[in-house]
Amino acid sequence: MILEITRQTFSQLHSQRMLASIAISGTALSIFLIMVVVMIQDVKTASFSPESRRDRFLHANAGSITTNLDDLPVSDNLYESNGSISYQTAMEQFGKLKTPEAVTIYSTSVSSYVASLPGRPSTGIETRATDGNFWKVFDFTFISGKPFTQADFEAASPLAVLSESAARRIFGSADVAGQSFEVNHLPYRVSGVVKDVSTLADHAYAAMWLPMTTTSDFIDTWMNGWMGRCAVTILAKDASDFDKIRSEYEKRVEEMNKSMRSEGWKFITRNRPYTQAKDSILKSANIEPDEDADRRQRWIVYLILLIVPAMNMNGMTESRLRQRVEEIGVRRAFGCSRRQLFLQLLWENLVVTVAAGVIGWLLSVVFAYMCSSFIFSSPMYSASPTIDISVLLNVSTFLWALLFCFVLNLLSTGIPSFRASRTNVVNALKGHQQ
């Protein structure tokens, strides 16, 4: 039955090419627009190298410190600071946690460092300062050499890991592990070379990575050494450990606040650390991200993008069904119930919607891949973002497309199909839709 209805649907589309082309192109455009919006959000949480374990990540990109102590009057609550924390604070709050698989501390943002070879022009390289655990949390692909270790970090060894493109810019080759060069006019040695990292991996991205102990990010602090230039990413053994990790972190902060009490300060956790999804909507260090509000906002956008084309398609569906009034009358005369007729008409239109939706989805994938340089661009980085096609062709985006097709079908064809199924048999046979 379903195959027969599907064949009839495509036969009718072939006989009504103008209406069919308008219906399919309109639906495809609607799904295309929605899927581009979905993909822009999806790449913020989808797992891909070197952030292929995002489902187990917790992030703390900032800290909040205040004079708001419980035993002081409100008038004495003079100051609150929100921003990156120092390495010492990060170690005290996160570095001693027992539950996670690994914890890494690294510079909050990339900085431009000058790299050069003797007698050659220097070049600016986007650089991130890290600890040795950075390579345990993020899964880079090394094509030459190896990462520097935690022991190298503690010893402040002048080592560097380069991206493939950075290595070629400096040395003219990617196989340069062990070779020496200068960073900000100081001697360094290449520990390893990794495949280029997309700017979409915003926690791991850089073109060069240095031990933080060899940079100013390690000692550049303020607020009695509590605030600085560091961020933290935690790799949990399992996502089910998130609450336990937060609880352990809260206890660490409480202990730290006790020692700070005599100086009149304390840290506010703001429910940190955040999951990848929550961290992706972080706008300010002093405001906890509201996932529910962000989700509602996105659904409103999706609904608008669905309702507008649905209203236009509703009229076209009504027009197509008016041309089939006599056929509907014959079906009813031969015993087809109103329920069967309604479901058949709904299925016919669902076939059209899904076919157009697949076209729209494929167009959105091609568009997002070809135009990633401006769709996914970030003002934080000078490099253009790159994206693996597999990230756009994942199961979740396809299921989203099917869901939107189904909803769009109900919105655009539900009422016309219901009205057609309620048509009086005698009037339908006469060609009147009453």
Side-chain angles (χ1 to χ4, degrees):
M1 173 66 75
I2 292 178
L3 291 176
E4 182 62 30
I5 294 174
T6 303
R7 281 195 293 267
Q8 290 176 2
T9 300
F10 283 110
S11 177
Q12 290 166 3
L13 290 175
H14 187 266
S15 62
Q16 300 176 343
R17 296 181 182 178
M18 181 61 71
L19 284 175
S21 61
I22 294 174
I24 291 176
S25 60
T27 304
L29 178 61
S30 177
I31 298 300
F32 166 81
L33 293 174
I34 293 176
M35 292 312 301
V36 169
V37 175
V38 169
M39 288 174 183
I40 291 174
Q41 179 61 33
D42 203 38
V43 296
K44 298 177 182 179
T45 56
S47 296
F48 57 90
S49 181
E51 297 185 6
S52 59
R53 294 174 285 198
R54 281 179 165 179
D55 59 325
R56 293 196 282 141
F57 280 175
L58 288 174
H59 302 288
N61 294 329
S64 301
I65 191 170
T66 180
T67 57
N68 187 5
L69 297 177
D70 298 334
D71 55 355
L72 290 180
V74 175
S75 58
D76 290 340
N77 299 335
L78 300 177
Y79 190 81
E80 180 178 307
S81 177
N82 298 273
S84 304
I85 57 178
S86 67
Y87 178 82
Q88 291 73 19
T89 299
M91 275 298 297
E92 186 68 25
Q93 294 181 350
F94 298 98
K96 300 178 182 180
L97 297 180
K98 305 298 183 183
T99 307
E101 180 177 322
V103 177
T104 180
I105 304 170
Y106 52 93
S107 56
T108 307
S109 59
V110 298
S111 302
S112 182
Y113 280 53
V114 176
S116 62
L117 289 174
R120 293 189 187 179
S122 60
T123 181
I125 304 292
E126 289 187 314
T127 304
R128 192 183 294 275
T130 78
D131 62 7
N133 293 327
F134 189 78
W135 314 103
K136 298 178 181 179
V137 174
F138 301 106
D139 55 322
F140 291 80
T141 302
F142 278 80
I143 58 178
S144 177
K146 60 183 180 180
F148 52 80
T149 65
Q150 188 67 9
D152 294 325
F153 164 81
E154 293 171 358
S157 300
L159 300 172
V161 172
L162 298 174
S163 69
E164 183 178 3
S165 60
R168 294 188 185 281
R169 285 168 60 189
I170 299 169
F171 295 95
S173 170
D175 188 15
V176 294
Q179 295 192 33
S180 298
F181 70 118
E182 291 185 351
V183 176
N184 285 356
H185 309 294
L186 296 174
Y188 272 76
R189 182 167 55 85
V190 179
S191 174
V193 179
V194 298
K195 287 186 177 180
D196 288 351
V197 178
S198 172
T199 57
L200 297 176
D202 53 353
H203 293 281
Y205 171 75
M208 180 167 65
W209 297 263
L210 306 177
M212 188 183 295
T213 45
T214 67
T215 72
S216 61
D217 288 345
F218 186 71
I219 58 174
D220 192 2
T221 65
W222 54 95
M223 293 292 294
N224 295 340
W226 294 315
M227 309 302 284
R229 302 191 181 281
C230 294
V232 176
T233 293
I234 300 167
L235 176 63
K237 296 174 184 176
D238 190 86
S240 61
D241 292 335
F242 285 174
D243 289 340
K244 187 176 180 181
I245 291 172
R246 290 193 186 95
S247 177
E248 191 179 351
Y249 160 67
E250 293 276 357
K251 292 178 181 178
R252 295 296 312 168
V253 173
E254 286 179 13
E255 290 297 319
M256 190 173 182
N257 285 342
K258 288 178 182 178
S259 64
M260 296 167 57
R261 192 174 187 83
S262 60
E263 301 178 54
W265 298 95
K266 74 172 183 178
F267 272 95
I268 311 170
T269 61
R270 301 195 193 281
N271 292 316
R272 298 183 180 97
Y274 301 142
T275 62
Q276 180 70 31
K278 194 170 184 177
D279 181 77
S280 69
I281 60 174
L282 179 66
K283 294 181 174 62
S284 176
N286 64 333
I287 301 175
E288 181 183 350
D290 189 339
E291 288 186 281
D292 292 335
D294 180 75
R295 194 177 297 111
R296 285 194 298 271
Q297 184 178 3
R298 280 188 282 124
W299 277 109
I300 290 172
V301 172
Y302 298 155
L303 193 59
I304 292 172
L305 291 174
L306 283 170
I307 287 179
V308 173
M311 292 174 64
N312 293 327
M313 290 174 60
N314 187 281
M316 287 188 290
T317 303
E318 192 83 52
S319 176
R320 286 171 53 205
L321 292 179
R322 270 198 296 266
Q323 297 178 21
R324 299 174 58 191
V325 170
E326 293 181 3
E327 174 197 335
I328 293 171
V330 171
R331 287 191 187 184
R332 294 280 288 112
F334 277 88
C336 183
S337 68
R338 289 174 175 174
R339 178 176 176 276
Q340 288 176 321
L341 184 59
F342 171 73
L343 293 176
Q344 286 181 8
L345 293 175
L346 204 63
W347 177 261
E348 289 177 8
N349 287 284
L350 181 61
V351 171
V352 177
T353 307
V354 170
V358 170
I359 295 173
W361 172 63
L362 291 174
L363 287 175
S364 68
V365 171
V366 173
F367 177 77
Y369 183 73
M370 299 296 292
C371 303
S372 61
S373 59
F374 69 88
I375 294 179
F376 305 114
S377 62
S378 170
M380 295 176 59
Y381 309 117
S382 61
S384 297
T386 57
I387 189 166
D388 194 313
I389 192 68
S390 62
V391 177
L392 302 176
L393 284 172
N394 60 38
V395 176
S396 65
T397 56
F398 180 69
L399 293 178
W400 274 112
L402 288 182
L403 173 63
F404 289 132
C405 286
F406 180 72
V407 174
L408 186 61
N409 177 64
L410 289 178
L411 291 173
S412 62
T413 66
I415 295 176
S417 296
F418 179 77
R419 291 178 59 184
S421 67
R422 307 289 294 181
T423 301
N424 182 276
V425 177
V426 176
N427 289 334
L429 290 171
K430 292 179 180 180
H432 303 297
Q433 190 177 19
Q434 297 291 337

